[in-house]
Amino acid sequence: MRPQFNFFKNIDKLTVFIYLALIFIGWISIYAAEYKEYHHSMFDFSQSYGKQFVWIVTALVIGTVILTIDVKAFPAFAYIIFGLSIVSLIGVLIFGTTVNASKSWFHIGGVAIQPAEFVKFTTSLALARLIYETKSRSRNFKAIIKPALLVAIPVLLIFAQNDTGTALVFAAFVVIFYREGFIPGWMLILGVFAVFLFVLTLIFNEFYIIGALSGLFVIAAIFLRKKPAMIRQMFLLLIIVNAYVYSVDYVYDEVLQQHQRLRIAVLIDETVDLRGAGYNLHQSKIAIGSGGVWGKGFLQGTQTKFNFVPEQGTDFIFCTIGEEWGFMGSFVVVGLFIFLLIRLILLAERQRSVFSRIFGYSLASIIFFHFLVNIGMTIGLVPVIGIPLPFISYGGSSLWAFSMFLFTFLKLDSKRLELL
Amino acid sequence: MQLNNPNSDIFSRRKTPIILFVVLIGLLFLMRLFYLQVVDHRYKIFASSNVQRIITDYPARGLVYDRNGELLVYNEPYYDLMVVPRQVRDIDTLEFISLLGITREQFETRMQAATRYSRFKGSIFERQISKGEYAAMQEKLFRFPGFYVQPRTLRKYPHPIAAHSMGYVGEAGPSLIENDPYYRPGDYVGISGIEKHYEDVLRGTKGTRIVMVDALNRDIGSFQDGRYDTLAVAGTDLYSSLDVQLQIYGEKLFQNKRGSIVAIEPSTGEILALVTAPGYDPNLLVGRVRSANYRMLQNDTLKPLFNRALMANYPPGSVFKVANFLVGLQEGGITNRTRYSCPGFYRSGGITVRCRTHPQPVDALLAIQYSCNTFSCIQFRNTLELPKFDNMQHALGTWREHILSLGFGRTFNSDLPHELPGLIGSPDYYDRIYGPRGWRALTIISLAIGQGEIGTTPIQLANLAAIVANRGYFYTPHIIKAIGAPENLNPDYLQRHQTTIDSVHFETMVEAMFETVEAGTGRFSRIPGITMGGKTGTVQNPHGENHSAFIAFAPVENPQIAISVIVENAGGGAAWAAPIASLMIEKYLTREVKRAWFEQRILEASFLTF
Ligand SMILES: [Zn+2]
């Protein structure tokens, strides 16, 4: 055997296995969600599951082709690919068609393509090269400016398409900035704390929170009465936090738009708007909740059929899994994702090339963000934001883009000893 | 490339918090899912009260009116009792089966069948409950959750006529359901006649409503304010070209007889009456009794399901002389002035065709009037042996083209069911029988008098009468005149078909057929005050008594009706077919029949042989 043609050598089989498992689960779940009693064929190409089958087959072809590409091409052409994808984002703003109020689709010969899905991949390539090329080892706020600007370009263009969900995905690059030392850990903790306080303030009256925090300060001050310098610092902190808590209401009432407010409000009490924003969440929770331990069985779901749950094949695909396969099914899918993410992180960590490492982390971060938001919204932990569940949700662009992303990284990983 | 030594990766320890965060979120999700799916039972209760019932609103099929606005087909409401097996619980089975009048076994088998079909979709439990029966069970039905009624309609025919043309409706079969996404089990679909041909127009569009049902089996309003509901759209009405009164009359005249009447309006091709006898009452093929009645009709030795007007393939006999003479005049085999004397037979090369006694000599006009076989044979042979034809193939090919342009030897592809093409032999056909060049004009001389290897259907003969009436053209005979509104003419049949015969020759033929009725073989069927052209015929029947045939049109100057009548096993055309045609014409043109004795003779006649 001539080794230069053995493209599959050193490809991480475990990752490929999880990938195949997820796309298979996706396909049968789309079939179950869109199932019609009179059209049994899973290969009926007029139906979404038939189309998804075509997407799967073509995605596998694309993945295989990527494995044949010379590994040095990825860093070499990173900027060019990124540039082309930005051009396509501008193009879609001018020539694209509008679906669900987002002008983010190209319609080519009956096939709809969403360039923004691919931009996650191309931005990761460009970002990996940019950071890799930065000779200085100093990682500070000044060093973050260039990478942040790079990410900002696609984000602004996608916002301009009115596709907020996809634009938010780019927040996942925070993980890269953290891992590569551009931002300190306390900043992330602060961010999480801020979100936590925000939600807490919405549930309880802000004066209770301020009161509680002030009470905590008084108790702390009593314990620390020997250290006035520390008390002063803590007092300063108390003032800032209380100001933040107080401003939450203002932001919520004055800055957020009504539909955004409702998406947050229903997380706390879905009955707030049962005919609108709360409806989706309520139905989604009923579908998943009624699945029980073992589920109702394949094609036996009652809530995910009949339009109780909206967008069953795309954003709310997890409802079908939860209803028909129960907690066991949910466990398997969540488990597969966590397993895949950890595997990807470990693969990223074993790269000798900074380029490959950053690219691998980008892949893991973006899959993680999708996983977090998509499943989180169906079970009422995250506001409803319409982004697909990677590898599972119906849609050609998403599947193609994630497959390209994954196979590119697998290729980089397979040549990790050659690439520095 | 040695820019970034991994050993200088001072932040590599940061992978740990990242992995921990991922695992933390995973555990958080699993805890939440465990709570929703296993611990919290509220969602299971929500789901079971999220009971939807999908109700299909079946649109009424389009009605069918006759040309004068009289109703031919309408709908009668009834109810199907439906069941959703998943929603059936705690019912008093004993009370339920006594309410429906079924046995316990029937109840069990039907429930099993419904469950097999779908646990959460409705299927029919009891079909076609009448309005009266429904009223009796309506107030008790709420005690049986999972059961509900679905309003449907059935076809109904105010007059027991035109069964073959109207066709019938039945439940969609499995292969149709598989191939056409519109149809669902229990749906109705036109199976024959205009019900089939105009299915897409008549059926309308089904609607669906999703309603929410409470634990007491009560409809508590539409789901999501009807966001997913679609409205049913009623089927489009059709306006038939039939004249109900004429059709009734024709079927009455054919009592105790076998045969057919086809009456056409020459100026449009609209079929005024289409009688095939024996027929049946279309109400027999409706609803629950349909399959039993269908079997009964199928086993009937008189073959009532057979549509003679479109499918009976007779050698037309003398009636066909009309077509042959037109070809002869067009090609120059004879002229207006050609005369021959008839010795009472035609004899050539060992072949003899007999004629009858009639005045001598005859030209084309008189030959039609007296139906002279001798003249017919001579003109046919003259035509085929014209020197301009290279050979017999060429000659017969030319003859055949003319005959085909007169509407024979092919179907009209009209809106009528199961039309047959008949048979007009091509040169190849005779080559196969007699061998290439193994045949001459004399070999096929029987075609001259419409006998031998030739088949025509009654509708083709009526169309021939219409062509003569129009002096050279026809419109495709059809039975649906307009769609949606009387003035919306059926667009499929507005195309005029010109024949290959010049109109001048038709003038000769019109005169000949007029004289046939005035003073020739059809003279006993003259209608006082109405000018009529006609041609008698006798269809030879090797299996028994000959069939009586007649074609006609009237009035001669401005034809309103063209007709063909065939009475099986009744003998000569003049005796039975011509009187029936004349009665039909009288009825259609004057709306009443004055010749009571004439009518009585027909009504009393019976030609049924078993
Ligand atoms: Zn004669």
Side-chain angles (χ1 to χ4, degrees):
Chain A
M1 184 180 271
R2 289 173 20 214
Q4 61 265 45
F5 290 110
N6 190 2
F7 304 121
F8 298 101
K9 200 182 170 205
N10 295 330
I11 296 299
D12 188 59
K13 289 183 191 62
L14 191 58
T15 308
V16 173
F17 171 77
I18 299 172
Y19 166 79
L20 292 174
L22 288 175
I23 57 176
F24 178 73
I25 290 170
W27 184 42
I28 63 166
S29 301
I30 294 164
Y31 179 68
E34 310 277 321
Y35 175 70
K36 295 181 182 64
E37 310 224 343
Y38 312 99
H39 296 96
H40 300 285
S41 170
M42 289 183 88
F43 305 98
D44 181 343
F45 299 122
S46 69
Q47 302 293 326
S48 55
Y49 41 85
K51 290 182 189 151
Q52 183 75 358
F53 181 73
V54 176
W55 297 127
I56 287 172
V57 171
T58 45
L60 292 173
V61 172
I62 290 169
T64 310
V65 168
I66 283 173
L67 295 185
T68 66
I69 295 173
D70 182 356
V71 74
K72 300 224 170 49
F74 296 110
F77 291 106
Y79 288 153
I80 295 171
I81 296 169
F82 177 67
L84 288 174
S85 71
I86 293 300
V87 168
S88 78
L89 279 185
I90 296 167
V92 87
L93 272 174
I94 302 166
F95 307 111
T97 39
T98 306
V99 176
N100 290 339
S102 302
K103 191 173 183 178
S104 50
W105 298 82
F106 276 130
H107 279 267
I108 304 162
V111 178
I113 292 173
Q114 198 180 5
E117 288 294 332
F118 297 92
V119 175
K120 299 167 196 168
F121 163 62
T122 60
T123 306
S124 302
L125 277 176
L127 186 67
R129 175 154 168 197
L130 182 70
I131 297 174
Y132 156 78
E133 281 179 346
T134 309
K135 295 186 174 69
S136 157
R137 293 305 303 160
S138 68
R139 295 286 159 87
N140 51 37
F141 268 124
K142 222 165 135 193
I144 204 177
I145 290 173
K146 265 163 89 181
L149 283 177
L150 183 118
V151 175
I153 299 167
V155 169
L156 290 175
L157 286 169
I158 294 168
F159 265 122
Q161 292 169 9
N162 202 17
D163 186 359
T164 319
T166 306
L168 284 176
V169 171
F170 288 80
F173 286 115
V174 167
V175 177
I176 309 294
F177 296 146
Y178 167 68
R179 168 61 184 81
E180 294 303 315
F182 290 101
I183 47 178
W186 62 262
M187 219 182 240
L188 286 188
I189 293 168
L190 199 67
V192 172
F193 184 66
V195 171
F196 176 72
L197 264 188
F198 187 94
V199 174
L200 218 59
T201 312
L202 293 178
I203 297 173
F204 304 104
N205 187 313
E206 67 261 34
F207 294 108
Y208 290 140
I209 311 260
I210 292 171
L213 287 170
S214 306
L216 276 176
F217 168 74
V218 171
I219 294 165
I222 292 165
F223 277 105
L224 296 169
R225 56 184 178 274
K226 302 274 164 60
K227 297 177 180 167
M230 212 161 177
I231 292 175
R232 267 198 302 280
Q233 278 178 4
M234 277 180 61
F235 186 71
L236 199 66
L237 191 69
L238 178 72
I239 300 290
I240 294 168
V241 169
N242 280 348
Y244 169 76
V245 166
Y246 192 74
S247 69
V248 163
D249 251 20
Y250 175 81
V251 170
Y252 184 75
D253 289 333
E254 305 297 328
V255 178
L256 291 182
Q257 291 171 344
Q258 172 65 14
H259 71 276
Q260 290 165 330
R261 273 201 294 277
L262 278 171
R263 282 183 190 184
I264 296 166
V266 297
L267 284 182
I268 297 143
D269 178 8
E270 66 212 34
T271 58
V272 165
D273 184 22
L274 260 190
R275 291 202 169 266
Y279 174 77
N280 291 353
L281 177 58
H282 187 59
Q283 298 301 335
S284 167
K285 279 156 84 177
I286 290 176
I288 294 172
S290 67
V293 179
W294 302 104
K296 296 174 188 171
F298 185 47
L299 303 181
Q300 299 300 317
T302 54
Q303 303 299 309
T304 44
K305 298 184 172 58
F306 301 166
N307 298 315
F308 268 130
V309 175
E311 310 282 346
Q312 303 147 27
T314 52
D315 297 346
F316 281 88
I317 189 71
F318 191 73
C319 294
T320 304
I321 297 168
E323 183 179 15
E324 296 197 346
W325 302 104
F327 180 69
M328 294 331 278
S330 310
F331 185 86
V332 167
V333 171
V334 171
L336 280 172
F337 269 106
I338 297 302
F339 207 63
L340 175 69
L341 289 166
I342 293 172
R343 182 75 191 163
L344 289 175
I345 291 168
L346 294 178
L347 292 185
E349 285 293 343
R350 78 180 183 188
Q351 301 306 309
R352 294 172 64 194
S353 151
V354 174
F355 176 85
S356 302
R357 183 176 73 220
I358 294 171
F359 186 78
Y361 261 107
S362 301
L363 172 63
S365 313
I366 286 172
I367 292 176
F368 177 68
F369 191 88
H370 276 262
F371 165 81
L372 175 74
V373 170
N374 183 286
I375 295 185
M377 77 175 173
T378 62
I379 55 180
L381 294 178
V382 174
V384 173
I385 296 166
I387 58 172
L389 190 56
F391 312 118
I392 292 197
S393 288
Y394 168 70
S397 298
S398 165
L399 184 62
W400 277 14
F402 274 112
S403 299
M404 281 179 175
F405 212 153
L406 184 79
F407 280 91
T408 302
F409 179 58
L410 289 178
K411 179 68 182 182
L412 290 171
D413 175 61
S414 72
K415 301 283 182 184
R416 64 187 180 277
L417 299 176
E418 295 171 29
L419 204 68
L420 287 170
Chain B
M1 290 287 259
Q2 197 75 26
L3 292 171
N4 299 295
N5 189 330
N7 299 331
S8 70
D9 180 12
I10 52 170
F11 299 107
S12 72
R13 277 184 309 169
R14 288 191 171 186
K15 70 167 186 277
T16 314
I18 294 174
I19 291 174
L20 281 179
F21 188 65
V22 168
V23 171
L24 185 77
I25 292 293
L27 287 176
L28 181 68
F29 278 10
L30 288 177
M31 279 159 58
R32 174 71 169 174
L33 283 162
F34 188 78
Y35 175 76
L36 282 180
Q37 299 190 292
V38 182
V39 178
D40 191 343
H41 285 278
R42 276 185 309 149
Y43 293 107
K44 288 162 201 68
I45 296 160
F46 279 136
S48 65
S49 63
N50 243 353
V51 175
Q52 287 177 319
R53 178 176 294 155
I54 298 190
I55 294 188
T56 306
D57 281 335
Y58 290 95
R61 270 181 99 78
L63 307 180
V64 186
Y65 297 94
D66 88 335
R67 64 188 301 109
N68 300 313
E70 205 170 322
L71 208 52
L72 268 167
V73 186
Y74 67 99
N75 302 304
E76 200 173 61
Y78 73 93
Y79 301 89
D80 278 340
L81 181 64
M82 309 292 291
V83 62
V84 178
R86 199 174 62 92
Q87 297 169 10
V88 176
R89 53 182 183 271
D90 314 327
I91 65 161
D92 185 342
T93 316
L94 219 60
E95 192 188 345
F96 186 72
I97 62 176
S98 75
L99 185 67
L100 274 183
I102 57 170
T103 65
R104 190 157 199 120
E105 288 72 41
Q106 280 173 316
F107 177 83
E108 297 296 343
T109 23
R110 288 181 196 185
M111 279 306 287
Q112 277 161 18
T115 313
R116 255 199 316 281
Y117 163 66
S118 170
R119 287 197 310 121
F120 50 84
K121 287 209 168 177
S123 50
I124 299 174
F125 189 83
E126 171 91 358
R127 266 160 224 285
Q128 294 158 24
I129 297 167
S130 73
K131 245 177 163 170
E133 290 170 318
Y134 173 56
M137 66 166 65
Q138 192 177 13
E139 59 220 42
K140 293 183 189 146
L141 206 59
F142 77 93
R143 289 214 294 269
F144 307 104
F147 288 93
Y148 63 101
V149 290
Q150 178 130 275
R152 301 292 296 269
T153 58
L154 280 180
R155 288 307 226 184
K156 196 85 187 166
Y157 306 86
H159 306 287
I161 54 162
H164 297 84
S165 308
M166 294 303 112
Y168 58 90
V169 169
E171 263 183 48
S175 69
L176 179 66
I177 292 165
E178 187 60 39
N179 293 320
D180 188 336
Y182 181 83
Y183 297 100
R184 298 271 182 272
D187 280 6
Y188 288 134
V189 60
I191 293 182
S192 81
I194 58 168
E195 298 281 13
K196 181 180 186 186
H197 191 90
Y198 293 97
E199 166 69 9
D200 293 350
V201 178
L202 285 170
R203 74 181 181 195
T205 310
K206 280 183 294 189
T208 43
R209 276 184 299 132
I210 307 178
V211 295
M212 305 300 296
V213 181
D214 69 5
L216 290 173
N217 200 30
R218 285 179 309 211
D219 183 336
I220 51 168
S222 67
F223 168 63
Q224 283 273 299
D225 294 333
R227 199 196 295 183
Y228 300 102
D229 295 359
T230 53
L231 280 178
V233 180
T236 308
D237 295 344
L238 296 180
Y239 294 83
S240 171
S241 58
L242 289 180
D243 179 323
V244 162
Q245 296 309 320
L246 189 66
Q247 179 77 25
I248 292 175
Y249 188 60
E251 296 199 10
K252 189 168 138 198
L253 291 177
F254 254 95
Q255 64 191 20
N256 299 321
K257 300 168 193 68
R258 253 186 301 209
S260 61
I261 305 174
V262 180
I264 299 174
E265 183 176 71
S267 61
T268 58
E270 292 167 12
I271 294 174
L272 303 169
L274 192 130
V275 175
T276 168
Y280 60 91
D281 181 348
N283 290 303
L284 287 177
L285 295 188
V286 171
R288 277 193 281 202
V289 292
R290 186 175 69 83
S291 42
N293 283 336
Y294 191 85
R295 267 196 304 281
M296 180 196 82
L297 292 171
Q298 221 169 11
N299 295 333
D300 192 325
T301 51
L302 288 173
K303 297 206 169 97
L305 291 174
F306 182 59
N307 192 343
R308 288 177 161 73
L310 308 177
M311 303 174 79
N313 209 352
Y314 308 102
S318 302
V319 169
F320 202 66
K321 286 170 187 166
V322 172
N324 271 331
F325 281 30
L326 287 168
V327 178
L329 288 165
Q330 178 70 23
E331 288 297 322
I334 48 165
T335 70
N336 274 345
R337 280 181 287 282
T338 310
R339 286 162 171 261
Y340 292 102
S341 61
C342 169
F345 57 84
Y346 172 81
R347 183 173 293 157
S348 180
I351 288 175
T352 305
V353 178
R354 287 197 292 144
C355 191
R356 63 183 68 76
T357 4
H358 54 78
Q360 298 290 339
V362 291
D363 58 5
L365 226 138
L366 289 170
I368 289 288
Q369 186 175 331
Y370 300 129
S371 198
C372 179
N373 286 349
T374 310
F375 186 94
S376 301
C377 291
I378 295 168
Q379 85 78 24
F380 184 67
R381 193 172 167 188
N382 282 358
T383 307
L384 291 186
E385 291 179 351
L386 281 169
K388 63 177 174 179
F389 296 125
D390 308 334
N391 52 39
M392 272 321 283
Q393 271 78 7
H394 183 197
L396 191 77
T398 308
W399 174 83
R400 185 169 185 268
E401 260 173 47
H402 288 303
I403 297 296
L404 257 56
S405 91
L406 292 167
F408 292 102
R410 57 194 168 95
T411 58
F412 291 111
N413 281 327
S414 176
D415 53 0
L416 297 156
H418 312 305
E419 230 188 318
L420 288 183
L423 168 68
I424 302 295
S426 62
D428 291 346
Y429 174 82
Y430 292 103
D431 279 352
R432 276 199 300 277
I433 298 180
Y434 302 106
R437 299 185 178 276
W439 51 284
R440 300 175 290 144
L442 207 55
T443 322
I444 53 173
I445 197 75
S446 63
L447 295 181
I449 55 167
Q451 307 279 7
E453 296 103 356
I454 180 167
T456 61
T457 59
I459 191 172
Q460 290 171 342
L461 295 176
N463 188 54
L464 177 64
I467 290 170
V468 177
N470 285 336
R471 278 80 166 165
Y473 62 87
F474 70 95
Y475 290 92
T476 302
H478 57 280
I479 202 151
I480 294 303
K481 179 185 161 81
I483 297 168
E487 63 276 8
N488 285 351
L489 290 183
N490 195 339
D492 295 347
Y493 309 113
L494 297 175
Q495 170 84 31
R496 177 166 147 170
H497 305 287
Q498 197 68 39
T499 64
T500 52
I501 315 282
D502 296 338
S503 65
V504 55
H505 304 307
F506 283 100
E507 293 297 346
T508 310
M509 190 52 65
V510 168
E511 198 182 338
M513 288 173 73
F514 173 65
E515 289 302 331
T516 304
V517 176
E518 284 299 303
T521 52
R523 64 188 178 280
F524 302 112
S525 299
R526 274 190 65 217
I527 312 164
I530 294 173
T531 56
M532 171 164 96
K535 179 72 195 82
T536 57
T538 304
V539 176
Q540 288 192 339
N541 176 17
H543 310 293
E545 188 69 39
N546 288 341
H547 306 324
S548 174
F550 190 67
I551 62 170
F553 58 91
V556 169
E557 313 75 42
N558 171 30
Q560 306 286 307
I561 176 169
I563 193 166
S564 79
V565 176
I566 289 181
V567 191
E568 291 188 7
N569 312 112
W576 299 103
I580 290 177
S582 91
L583 285 168
M584 289 291 285
I585 290 172
E586 185 183 7
K587 174 81 178 174
Y588 181 66
L589 294 179
T590 68
R591 307 311 294 179
E592 56 173 346
V593 173
K594 296 201 183 75
R595 297 170 291 165
W597 63 272
F598 196 78
E599 183 182 55
Q600 201 56 36
R601 172 176 169 266
I602 300 294
L603 291 175
E604 283 166 4
S606 169
F607 300 107
L608 288 185
T609 49
F610 295 92

